[in-house]
Amino acid sequence: MEYLKAFLCGGVLCVIGQLLIDKTKLTPARILTAYVVSGVFLTAIGVYPKLVEWFGCGATVPLTGFGYCLAKGVARAVAEEGWLGVLTGPLTATAGGIGAAIFFALLVALLCKPKSKS
C-alpha cells in the first residue's frame, strides 16, 4: 500500500506539471521553481508535513519535497541559532542532495563527450 500511495502522489504532481506545460505558456524552469516555492509555502502553513506522513517518498522525492526540506531546515536552524538560521538552515538541510548533484554532474561532464546539435 505504501508504494501505491507514493506512486499516486508522485503521479498527481507529474500530471499537474504536464498540464501546466501543455495548457499554459509557463516555461519548465518556472514550473520547477513554482513547485519548490509551493513546497516551502505548504510546509509553512502546515499542510505538507501531513502529506509527507501520508504519502511518504511520493511527497518527499519530487521538487515540492525539496521545498519541504528547505523549509524544515530553516525552521530547525532558526529554533537552534536564531535568525542566522534563515541563511544556514536550507544549506545544511539540503547539502547532501546538492553535493551529490554537483558530483554526478562533474562525473558525467568528465566521462561524456559533447556533440553539436547540428
Side-chain angles (χ1 to χ4, degrees):
M1 191 64 175
E2 193 173 320
Y3 292 123
L4 179 63
K5 290 192 289 186
F7 176 77
L8 288 175
C9 181
V12 166
L13 289 171
C14 288
V15 166
I16 292 169
Q18 190 63 49
L19 288 173
L20 288 171
I21 289 172
D22 292 343
K23 303 293 183 186
T24 67
K25 293 185 179 191
L26 291 172
T27 63
R30 289 182 184 207
I31 294 169
L32 296 176
T33 304
Y35 267 45
V36 174
V37 171
S38 66
V40 170
F41 177 74
L42 291 173
T43 302
I45 62 173
V47 173
Y48 211 80
K50 293 175 185 169
L51 292 175
V52 169
E53 278 182 39
W54 179 252
F55 292 110
C57 286
T60 58
V61 171
L63 282 171
T64 49
F66 185 71
Y68 164 74
C69 190
L70 288 171
K72 254 181 43 177
V74 168
R76 186 178 323 123
V78 167
E80 293 173 2
E81 303 170 19
W83 286 104
L84 183 62
V86 172
L87 301 173
T88 61
L91 295 173
T92 305
T94 59
I98 293 171
I102 292 170
F103 171 76
F104 288 114
L106 175 66
L107 187 65
V108 168
L110 293 174
L111 295 177
C112 298
K113 294 183 180 182
K115 297 177 185 175
S116 65
K117 290 186 176 185
S118 55

